[in-house]
Amino acid sequence: MTTNALEKARAAAEKAAQDLAALESAEAEKTAQKAAERLDAEREAAARFLADRLVLESKVKGEKPSAADIATALENGTLGALVADFLARRDALQMLRDHARQCARLLDQDENRFAEVRYVDPAEELRRWQEDAIAEIRHAKAGALAADALSAYQVA
């Protein structure tokens, strides 16, 4: 190979290396831009979630069934499903609070302001609800039986 051919090859290789470096730089810039845009979008979504958190929590949490509803569920054989639904709502509430902590970290806010949902043993909760239901049923049936027995002695 002649010196001229070597110089041309070196020049072509150098040009190719410069083109490659330029393309890699442009690609890195695009990637950085996309990452920055994604971070901005995540921060915006986090801020929206934290603003809507209380409404979302109230929808997920629902309300604990009344003693009468618990008694009816016991009589219908659906008390276990009712307890499972209640506990699932508590678990969902905890998931929302975990997400709120992540959002707070993303926004450099205090993540400790979101209280943990206390763990409830499912078997213990079912036992408590059964006791409440039995007490409600006993009270209602005792009242009905007493009213029936005393109805003959009522003055109209």
Side-chain angles (χ1 to χ4, degrees):
M1 251 189 181
T2 64
T3 311
N4 195 17
L6 282 173
E7 288 177 13
K8 284 182 181 179
R10 283 187 185 127
E14 191 174 309
K15 172 96 169 99
Q18 289 174 352
D19 290 345
L20 178 61
L23 287 173
E24 287 176 342
S25 174
E27 187 63 30
E29 190 175 312
K30 280 183 187 178
T31 302
Q33 179 66 26
K34 285 182 182 178
E37 288 172 0
R38 179 166 174 77
L39 183 60
D40 287 344
E42 286 176 354
R43 284 186 173 155
E44 181 181 320
R48 274 192 331 235
F49 174 78
L50 290 177
D52 297 341
R53 181 184 62 86
L54 294 177
V55 172
L56 294 171
E57 282 187 5
S58 68
K59 285 181 184 178
V60 167
K61 185 176 181 182
E63 294 182 13
K64 184 176 179 183
S66 67
D69 292 338
I70 293 171
T72 302
L74 179 66
E75 289 176 329
N76 294 336
T78 58
L79 185 60
L82 193 63
V83 171
D85 180 66
F86 174 76
L87 294 175
R89 289 178 174 281
R90 288 177 59 89
D91 292 345
L93 181 63
Q94 181 60 47
M95 289 176 186
L96 288 178
R97 291 189 181 171
D98 290 342
H99 185 69
R101 279 187 207 86
Q102 291 173 347
C103 290
R105 276 193 297 270
L106 183 65
L107 297 173
D108 296 323
Q109 296 177 358
D110 179 25
E111 65 183 83
N112 294 323
R113 63 186 169 144
F114 307 109
E116 291 278 333
V117 176
R118 182 181 57 84
Y119 174 77
V120 175
D121 179 43
E124 182 64 23
E125 192 69 9
L126 180 61
R127 185 191 62 76
R128 274 196 296 270
W129 284 35
Q130 284 174 332
E131 288 174 358
D132 292 347
I134 289 170
E136 179 69 22
I137 292 169
R138 281 181 63 191
H139 178 70
K141 288 195 180 203
L145 289 170
D148 185 47
L150 295 174
S151 67
Y153 301 101
Q154 297 290 329
V155 177

